Amino acid sequence: MVFRTGAFHLPTVATIAVLTLCASTAGALDTLRFEIPADDKDLRKTLVGASLIQSAQADGRTDPQDIIAAANADYAELLGVLYKYGYYSGVINIFIDGQEAAQLSPFAKPAGVREVVVRVLPGAPFTFSKAGISPIAPGTELPEEFAISKRARAPVVGAAAEAGVEGWRNLGRAKAEVAGQDIVADHRSDTLAVQLALRPGPVVTFGNLVQVKDSRVRPERLRAIAGLPTGERFSPEELDKSAKRLRRTGAFKSVSLTEAEQLRAGDVMDIQLDTADEKRRRFGFGAEVSSNEGLGLSTFWLHRNLLGGAERLRFDIAISGIGSQSGGTNGGIDYEVGGRFERPATFGADTTLFVFGKVAREDEPNYLSDEVTLGFGFSRIVTEQLTVEAGLALRYSDETDALGNQEFYHLLIPLKATYDSRDEPLDPSNGFYAQAELTPFVSLSDTDSGGRLHLDGRTYYQLDEGGMFTLAGRVQFGSILGASLADTPQDFLFYSGGGDSVRGQPYQSLGVPIGANVTGGRSFVGAQAEMRIDLAGNFDPVAFFDVGYIGSESIYDDSGSWHSGAGIGIRYATGIGPIRFDVGLPVTGNTDDGVQIYIGIGQAF
């Protein structure tokens, strides 16, 4: 296949885009030889990898007719690669036992194929002599490469067309399209002249959400959850939000929102909803092990569509401290039974109602607490990364600690804001996470009222382009405001030591001394740093260093105590996240308990 010099019209943008797709690479053939005199190593590699002849051999399809068919298809495949890299004067020859493959009949039945030679002469790379597209919507950002004198790669033309169409769609013109194109390659000057014409179409408004398949979720609840802004100007962003709201419920295996092909009177466009229901019930379990804290086991039962409106009901049971070496008033075993009901799209598509309850016993090294909590609240998704939450709850606890025995009755007003831009919550390598919690507590007895503040920030940074080295950091801050140590429930106070604060130090080993005993503090500062190394295979090493501070005052004043720990670990990659194994030792502090071991699922933070 030879391209002559002169000017000619190229295929359409859509055809160019299709031709640039490459087949998967395969191992080399003994009888297959590539002759590609090109300085561009990436071009050479892509051309070889695109060969369907090579793929056929790798798959064991070596019948002569298969080789001839693959060779004839390779002309288009290799041509697409040349277009992708901006070569439009290429010469492609494929010889099968010395004969051009294009001249062989696909029905020929030779006894065998001894040698295949693929010869590609790319020619000179082309540049744009013209790069035009009109009309362009205000605010449209075209690819930087779509400009005069830039390399005339075919995918750049397709990207420019897509950007032009998307610019009009962002202004409500849902049916914008490429109306025409004039693409001319001039082989005398090695240039490509491109002029694309767009048809914006009318400004479209959202119509009805039309359900095309039955679902166990009621139609009126589907519409409420999707929150499609019927009657408002079309927006691709709003359409994407509606799909995400439905997926977020967890009630569906798949969700598809499709724009109607034809507009109704008044330029109204209906949206077709196609869903596949997820299984209504789910059961799961988890486990975590620490040499000091012992074994922790948890299980949950979940219903994804309790009342036919994508309501979620979840029950959790957790037991921890099994085999704990940290002592405790009653053997160190903790129990917790909790439940949570969620109803999406309550007071708006992005607001969820939740009702929760918990019964727990905490037999910790420094206190024993029996607790009951009941409450409700609302969470709202402000942006894709930001969620806010507010609630109201009643809490009762009976506690025994270093200060004696006391009962607490509180009205809680939990407030929380979470920002999460991490790429993978269980194994992040990029992004940022921040959570701020403020819980005012109003005493319903003769104890103090006050508030609990906790801040948690995490960040991740890849040190090299290949992503082999990731530096992860975490900073925490906590404070009890307005209430004394004696009049604050132990569950609200702060301790340091253990897998969630300072690894290498025993669990809750740092607090506020009360005689020979220890109680929690009213202020907390913590920091953790990890160097994560992503090696080939499933095992990845980690090194870490953690520090923590506990003080008796509400705000850090350096009158409390610091301790630290360091160690190394291994992460084993699985489909549900990495399995974590950490070994830590105390670095500073007054404990001397030796090696601490931590095992769990997901990164430490």
Side-chain angles (χ1 to χ4, degrees):
M1 183 173 292
V2 181
F3 298 105
R4 308 291 183 186
T5 58
F8 66 93
H9 282 69
L10 296 179
T12 64
V13 173
T15 303
I16 291 175
V18 171
L19 288 177
T20 58
L21 297 176
C22 299
S24 59
T25 58
L29 301 171
D30 291 340
T31 57
L32 176 60
R33 186 170 75 254
F34 288 88
E35 297 178 354
I36 309 173
D39 295 331
D40 190 333
K41 294 182 179 179
D42 189 40
L43 172 63
R44 290 172 54 86
K45 181 179 179 181
T46 306
L47 284 167
V48 173
S51 172
L52 298 178
I53 305 173
Q54 190 167 227
S55 298
Q57 173 68 10
D59 295 340
R61 295 181 284 109
T62 56
D63 182 271
Q65 285 184 297
D66 289 332
I67 296 298
I68 292 173
N72 278 282
D74 260 355
Y75 287 111
E77 293 294 327
L78 301 178
L79 176 62
V81 173
L82 292 178
Y83 281 6
K84 177 181 178 181
Y85 284 84
Y87 294 90
Y88 300 94
S89 293
V91 178
I92 301 172
N93 297 107
I94 302 177
F95 299 106
I96 297 180
D97 290 336
Q99 290 185 280
E100 186 76 42
Q103 299 174 358
L104 296 175
S105 169
F107 303 105
K109 296 183 178 180
V113 174
R114 295 185 301 274
E115 183 183 53
V116 177
V117 178
V118 178
R119 181 179 299 152
V120 181
L121 303 177
F126 277 48
T127 57
F128 287 113
S129 61
K130 181 179 182 181
I133 179 170
S134 64
I136 298 178
T140 301
E141 293 186 7
L142 297 175
E144 292 183 4
E145 297 87 352
F146 190 65
I148 294 175
S149 299
K150 295 286 188 178
R151 175 74 72 89
R153 300 176 187 269
V156 173
V157 179
E162 291 178 6
V165 169
E166 196 62 23
W168 284 114
R169 282 173 55 82
N170 289 335
L171 295 182
R173 299 178 183 269
K175 297 304 180 181
E177 60 183 352
V178 176
Q181 52 195 355
D182 188 14
I183 306 176
V184 179
D186 189 335
H187 295 265
R188 292 164 298 191
S189 60
D190 297 326
T191 58
L192 191 72
V194 178
Q195 180 64 50
L196 304 177
L198 302 180
R199 182 184 295 118
V203 175
V204 174
T205 57
F206 278 114
N208 298 322
L209 186 67
V210 180
Q211 189 176 349
V212 300
K213 185 186 296 183
D214 289 338
S215 169
R216 288 191 291 261
V217 179
R218 301 189 304 275
E220 67 274 16
R221 289 294 296 151
L222 286 172
R223 291 192 293 270
I225 294 167
L228 188 73
T230 299
E232 296 183 13
R233 191 179 73 177
F234 169 81
S235 166
E237 182 181 358
E238 289 298 326
L239 188 62
D240 186 53
K241 282 184 180 179
S242 293
K244 287 179 178 178
R245 289 174 185 134
L246 290 163
R247 296 187 187 106
R248 198 179 292 129
T249 66
F252 308 103
K253 287 183 180 178
S254 64
V255 174
S256 175
L257 293 182
T258 306
E259 301 169 21
E261 293 186 6
Q262 300 297 325
L263 300 180
R264 291 198 278 114
D267 296 326
V268 175
M269 182 176 67
D270 292 332
I271 302 298
Q272 296 177 334
L273 168 63
D274 188 357
T275 61
D277 290 339
E278 183 61 271
K279 292 181 179 179
R280 284 176 285 185
R281 299 171 183 85
R282 182 186 174 194
F283 172 82
F285 66 92
E288 190 161 8
V289 180
S290 166
S291 58
N292 190 267
E293 301 165 53
L295 173 66
L297 301 174
S298 62
T299 184
F300 72 87
W301 178 89
L302 170 68
H303 198 299
R304 294 185 173 97
N305 187 27
L306 184 67
L307 304 175
E311 301 89 354
R312 294 167 65 92
L313 178 63
R314 172 168 172 152
F315 291 104
D316 289 88
I317 300 175
I319 302 174
S320 59
I322 303 172
S324 171
Q325 303 299 312
S326 57
T329 307
N330 194 31
I333 305 295
D334 300 336
Y335 308 89
E336 182 176 317
V337 178
R340 184 178 174 101
F341 170 84
E342 295 183 354
R343 182 182 186 271
T346 302
F347 304 126
D350 292 316
T351 302
T352 297
L353 164 70
F354 60 87
V355 180
F356 63 94
K358 180 176 73 170
V359 177
R361 160 165 281 213
E362 296 184 10
D363 192 353
E364 303 295 349
N366 303 301
Y367 66 90
L368 174 65
S369 172
D370 293 309
E371 172 197 343
V372 178
T373 302
L374 293 172
F376 74 96
F378 298 91
S379 65
R380 180 172 180 81
I381 297 174
V382 181
T383 68
E384 189 67 23
Q385 293 81 29
L386 178 62
T387 302
V388 296
E389 189 174 298
L392 197 65
L394 289 173
R395 181 183 186 275
Y396 163 80
S397 64
D398 184 357
E399 302 184 0
T400 301
D401 56 26
L403 298 172
N405 177 260
Q406 187 158 239
E407 290 184 319
F408 294 96
Y409 299 87
H410 283 118
L411 175 67
L412 309 180
I413 310 172
L415 308 171
K416 181 166 64 175
T418 304
Y419 179 88
D420 190 352
S421 63
R422 295 175 296 178
D423 51 353
E424 292 290 342
L426 285 178
D427 190 15
S429 58
N430 282 295
F432 183 73
Y433 174 92
Q435 187 175 86
E437 294 180 87
L438 175 61
T439 305
F441 51 91
V442 180
S443 176
L444 303 179
S445 59
D446 57 355
T447 60
D448 292 342
S449 298
R452 184 182 193 270
L453 174 66
H454 184 252
L455 306 176
D456 185 355
R458 312 173 192 184
T459 187
Y460 310 88
Y461 181 72
Q462 290 188 341
L463 301 179
D464 62 313
E465 292 184 1
M468 181 176 181
F469 298 96
T470 298
L471 182 62
R474 181 185 189 186
V475 177
Q476 299 181 79
F477 172 80
S479 178
I480 299 296
L481 305 170
S484 65
L485 278 177
D487 282 348
T488 303
Q490 284 288 335
D491 194 41
F492 291 0
L493 295 175
F494 301 99
Y495 290 89
S496 184
D500 194 45
S501 55
V502 178
R503 289 163 290 181
Q505 294 286 352
Y507 177 60
Q508 292 192 354
S509 58
L510 185 62
V512 175
I514 304 292
N517 299 310
V518 174
T519 187
R522 294 202 298 159
S523 57
F524 165 61
V525 178
Q528 297 174 286
E530 284 192 350
M531 174 60 74
R532 302 169 183 171
I533 305 174
D534 186 5
L535 301 178
N538 291 336
F539 289 94
D540 300 324
V542 169
F544 61 86
F545 180 78
D546 305 338
V547 297
Y549 166 89
I550 297 293
S552 60
E553 301 300 321
S554 293
I555 303 298
Y556 171 79
D557 62 359
D558 203 27
S559 64
S561 300
W562 288 88
H563 68 171
S564 62
I568 58 174
I570 287 289
R571 307 292 182 262
Y572 178 77
T574 70
I576 59 174
I579 295 176
R580 179 177 75 256
F581 179 85
D582 286 337
V583 179
L585 286 167
V587 176
T588 62
N590 56 12
T591 58
D592 189 19
D593 285 20
V595 174
Q596 306 289 321
I597 297 175
Y598 309 91
I599 302 174
I601 296 177
Q603 296 285 1
F605 60 90

